[in-house]
Structure formats: structure tokens, C-alpha cells
Amino acid sequence: MNKDTIIGFILIGAVLIGFSWWNQPSAEDIEAARMQDSIAAVAKEKAEKAQQQAAQQAAAKADSAVAADTTALFHAAQSGTSQQVVLKNQKLELTLDTKGGVIKKAVIKDFKNIDGKPDVTLFDEGDQQLNFMLAGKQENIVTQDLYFTPSEQTDTTVTMTATAAGGGQMIMRYRLGRDYMVSLSLQAKGLAGMFAPSYKEVEIAWSDHCRQQEKGFSFESRYTGLFYKEAKGSTDNLSETSDETETVEERLDWVAFRNQFFSVALISKDDFTGGAKLSSIQDEKGSGYLKQFDATLKTDFDPTGQKASEFEMYIGPNDFRLIQEVEQQSQFGKDLDLEQLVNLGWWLLRWINRWFTLYVFDWLTGLGLNMGIVLILITILLKAITFPMVKKSYMSSAKMRVLKPKFEEATKQYDKPEDQMKKQQEMMSLYSKYGVSPLSGCLPMLIQMPIWLAMFFFVPNAIQLRGQSFLWMNDLSTYDPIWEWGTNIWGIGDHLSLTCILFCAAQLIYTWFSMQQQKDQMVGQQAEQMKMMQWMMYIMPLMFFFIFNDYSSGLNFYYFISLFMSAAIMYTLRKTTDDAKLLAILEANYQANKNNPKKASGLAARLEAMQKQAEEMQKQRKR
């Protein structure tokens, strides 16, 4: 890379930084935007009130029209007064509405909401709808149009009944368990004659306008999605980054609407039959919502009333161990695998997190340590485990470094372009005689890469980090801004995250150490190629800044500590390695192998064979 290219990069960077500084909003612009947002908020509130009043008037007219139809099967249940019924335990509080007979509000206790106040309202009036639809011979029965009468009510149980003409009943029973599992059943009594003899299914329309529960909209949305499990298969989901609609032909055990840290799952005892229609539509930032989820499902229904259609709902946090425990409370005897709602990564990464990271995390959190300390200790433990491999790889690179002068001397006669193949062949021969490997220098990164990627999924989805502070970080589950300006800038957002800056700085230091180590062992043309590569490597921290500025401070903090320790380990190994002693050992190897060199194997053998083949082809072309 020549001087002009370097100056070009510097000028481009200066222009980008200057433009970003010049384009940032002034104090007057921010105040004007704030006033405009306030006016817009007032206008929006008035419009919503007007829309609500219009909806209420329309509903009143509809109720009057229904009331006029005295021949309807559920005529008496199609008018009434909406009442609230509350079921609660120490973990969960559910509000049911007698209009429709379904859960209208769910509050999860022992967690703080987005404003830092106690309890998380997962959904409220208008956010979520659950409607059962039955096709009768003369008319359809739609539960959301019926007023149910509550009975047998306790703190955790209630029976909802809608009475039909002739004494028939539609009954919904709820029972809240000790944690986050809710049992629900739908049963008809005295209505067998209202349905065709072959009628055996109930259709379910379930929707949820998923609320934003965390500070970072984009980051939370990335981990929010619609999930489902096939009855005889695995778990799958709709796209978490784009709008998607899908029809699933397989039978399903459950469908779930998942936030980053909380989920609502609907489970059917008799499976949801094939043909489930699922939809996920993204919301705009600033709306207070993340996505609109819709599911149209069907399951078995007995019109004779001898058997109820049974369901269970999990309404709670995405805590792997907790979900495992709650799943044992299910009465359906299925392997629900609801733990899949906790995002632990792809199959290999999930295996690492499932069988290693989780156990280490459980052990450390069980000691009552601060979550920031837990992340540091996990990093130290992982570095200790990988240290023998890293040291072995470093020593192989160190051997290449001390042999560099000898390699340059032995191959200096192959300076012409047409002699490069011979040069490579000579170097491979020397590698074999000295007993070193030219490929081992890249092993440290390869060793750490699966762990890095596994933690990329584990840390952002560890609910134990939610709301936990450490040093300057108020919440390890979201970004830690040192500067916020209220206006979204492409590629950066509306803030600067301190842990992201530290992570990128540590990446820069680690890259410098890595480049120095590799540069010291490169010979000839390899050294020239390394000069070009190092500029690409130095650009990576800048790329990481744009990617990770919106990520959780816990993840950035882990990467910062990990890279800092990696750089410290490399520095320590470099300072404690005796080059003269190492060279003497290599010379002894050379003398032992000079007359009886080891036969190349593996990749080295394949490279040598390829070189010989290319050399033969080159000789044939010259003929």
C-alpha cells in the first residue's frame, strides 16, 4: 500500500467524521424537534380518543342490532356488562374479561418494566385477542361476541359460562398454576344438535401486538419473533428481521409469541391440526410496539360435550432453567421443548451454550455475585481452558519468527516471479526439517471463534442480566450510552455506547499484536501481502463499532475483557519466550532431520503435491 493510498484513506475518514460532526443537530434543532414531538403526541392522543369513542359507538350499535335478533342461539349472552376477573399468584397476575371470556391483561411480577418500575405488563386491553369460532348448522358461535358469567372463582381458578337458548352452555375454565403455567379448557354442554354430525374442530384466532419492553428497539426486535413446534418434529420460527406469512401443514404442539426476554405460548393437548396460518409484521420505531403477530389455528372439538378441548399457556420469562421446571407442570405428557424459546444460537453454538456455558453461568450466579463479575469470571475460565492450545499455537508462530532469517537466506536465489513455485517448495522442505507448521499461527482465533459466537447468542438472551448494573453500566442487557442526541443517524443510531468503544479499542490492540506476530514470521512475497491484509484488519474495529453500538453492554463488555486478556496473554508469551534457546532447539531438530526428513502429511503433503503438479505443468508448457 503506497503513500497516496494511505493519504486517501485518511482524507476519507476525515470527511466522514467532519460530515457527522457538521450534520449533528444543534440545541435549537433538538428543542424544536421536542416541541414538534409534543404537539404530535397531543394530536395522536386526541385522534386515538376519537377513534375509541367511534369504536364504542359502533359496538353499541352492533350490540343493539344483536339484541334485536331474539332468534339467535346465544341471544341472552350477546348483551351484558363487561366485568373484570383477576387470577393471581406470586409470579403472575391475569385479568380476564367476561366479554369474550379470555385473558385481556398479563402482568409478570418480580421484573421491572422499561421505565424501571415494578412489574412487566406483557399485554393489556387491545394488545392481545384470543377468539374461538365454531361453525353451527344454523349459525356460527364466536366467543368474542359473548358475555360470560363467572362462577367457582378463587384466586387462581374461575369458570366462565355463556348460556344458550334451551339451556345449552359454552364453558371456559381457567386454572393458574403456582408459577407461569395456565390451564384453559373449552367445553360445550347441551349443544350437540346445533352442529353437523361430522363437525369435530374449533378454529382459533390468536393475535398479539407485541409491546416494546426494553430500551433498545432495534436490538429487542432482533430477538422477537413467532415460534412454533411441530408435533413430530423440531421448533421453527418466522423471520425475526422481516415481515413473513406462512402456512404450516404439519400438526403443531404449540405456537408462541416471543419477546427478547418474555413469551406467551399456547399449547394444545390434541395438537393444532395442519394448515395453521402464521404471520409476523414489523412495527415502526417509536410506536411502543415491536411486531404484530397473528395465528389462525384449529384443534379437536367434541360437540357432544363429553370431552373438553384442553389448552395450556406459558406466560413468563425466557429463563432456560425456569422453563424446564415449569414444563414439568404440564398435564399433557408431551416433550414440549419450550426451552427453545431461549435463543442459545445455532446447533453447534447451542450445544456449547446448553452443555457448558449454562452450567458455568448457573454455578457462578448461584454464588450471589454481581453479573458483571460473573462475566469477568466466565472470561477468565474460558481463557484458562483454551490457554494450552493458544500457547502451543503461539510457540509454533514463535518458531516461524526465529527461523525467518534462515528462510530468507535459503530462498533468496528464488527472487524471480517464475521461481516462486520452487521457493514455496523449498520452504515446505525447510518446514519439515525444522519440525514447524506454517498454518498453526491462525489457530488461536479458530480455537476461540466458536466460544465467541456462542457468547454472542448467550449474553444478549440471558434474562439474569436484565436490569443488572455494573460499574457505569446501568443495565447489562442493553446499551450504555455516554452520549445521546435524540436523532437517528444512519449506521450509528442516536447514541454512543462506551462498552462498544472499549471493545473496538481492544480489538484494535489485539489486531496490532496479531499483525506484529504474523509480520515477524512472513518471508518475501508473504510479507508484502501481509501489508495489504493488515489495513483490512485495522478496518474491522470500525466495522464492529457500527454493528455493536446498539448491542447490549454485557456482550460488548465480555468482548472487551476477552480481547484485553488475549492481548495480555500474547504480550506475556512474547516477553517470556527465549528466542535464542528456541532457535537452538530448532537447529537440533534440523540436524536430526537433515539426512532423514520427515515425510509431509495432511495439508502440507497436499500442498507439496499441488506444487509439484503445477511445476510439471509449467515445464510441459515451456516444451
Side-chain angles (χ1 to χ4, degrees), residues 87-89 92-94 155-157 174-183:
L87 305 181
K88 59 182 178 180
N89 58 23
L92 189 62
E93 181 176 308
L94 305 176
D155 285 344
T156 57
T157 61
Y174 290 88
R175 181 177 62 83
L176 176 59
R178 68 177 183 270
D179 290 313
Y180 301 98
M181 191 71 87
V182 185
S183 297

Side-chain angles (χ1 to χ4, degrees), residues 98-116:
T98 56
K99 175 67 183 297
V102 293
I103 302 171
K104 291 293 185 181
K105 182 179 180 180
V107 177
I108 300 176
K109 302 177 182 179
D110 299 333
F111 292 92
K112 293 182 179 181
N113 62 21
I114 193 172
D115 298 319

Side-chain angles (χ1 to χ4, degrees), residues 10 24 52 58 113 141 189 235 295 339 347 366 384 480 528 546:
I10 295 173
Q24 66 181 352
Q52 186 177 6
N113 62 21
I141 302 172
K189 283 192 176 182
T235 304
E339 307 96 289
W347 68 273
D480 56 321
E528 293 298 322
F546 290 108

Side-chain angles (χ1 to χ4, degrees), residues 216-236:
F217 172 86
S218 300
F219 191 66
E220 184 183 5
S221 181
R222 193 177 292 120
Y223 293 101
T224 299
L226 190 155
F227 285 69
Y228 58 90
K229 180 184 179 297
E230 297 175 6
K232 296 182 179 180
S234 59
T235 304
D236 205 345

Side-chain angles (χ1 to χ4, degrees), residues 451-577:
I451 297 174
W452 267 54
L453 291 176
M455 295 298 286
F456 177 83
F457 287 98
F458 181 84
V459 175
N461 292 288
I463 195 171
Q464 292 83 353
L465 300 181
R466 187 178 184 272
Q468 297 297 310
S469 61
F470 182 65
L471 299 177
W472 68 89
M473 295 166 281
N474 295 325
D475 187 347
L476 289 168
S477 69
T478 188
Y479 58 82
D480 56 321
I482 56 171
W483 184 25
E484 293 182 280
W485 48 82
T487 302
N488 188 64
I489 296 178
W490 181 85
I492 299 178
D494 57 1
H495 66 275
L496 285 178
S497 173
L498 178 56
T499 51
C500 180
I501 295 173
L502 292 175
F503 159 46
C504 294
Q507 176 69 32
L508 191 64
I509 295 172
Y510 180 77
T511 299
W512 184 84
F513 272 115
S514 298
M515 290 295 102
Q516 288 297 117
Q517 180 175 321
Q518 293 183 36
K519 184 175 67 174
D520 290 343
Q521 68 188 48
M522 295 300 176
V523 180
Q525 189 177 3
Q526 292 178 334
E528 293 298 322
Q529 294 172 350
M530 179 56 63
K531 291 180 181 179
M532 297 295 296
M533 185 184 297
Q534 68 181 359
W535 283 99
M536 296 175 62
M537 296 298 293
Y538 288 142
I539 291 174
M540 285 183 64
L542 179 62
M543 295 172 58
F544 284 150
F545 170 75
F546 290 108
I547 295 172
F548 286 88
N549 188 49
D550 199 40
Y551 273 59
S552 68
S553 57
L555 182 63
N556 280 321
F557 181 70
Y558 164 76
Y559 281 155
F560 163 66
I561 295 296
S562 179
L563 283 166
F564 181 81
M565 288 184 178
S566 295
I569 289 171
M570 291 179 64
Y571 178 80
T572 303
L573 289 173
R574 180 69 179 87
K575 290 297 182 181
T576 56
T577 300

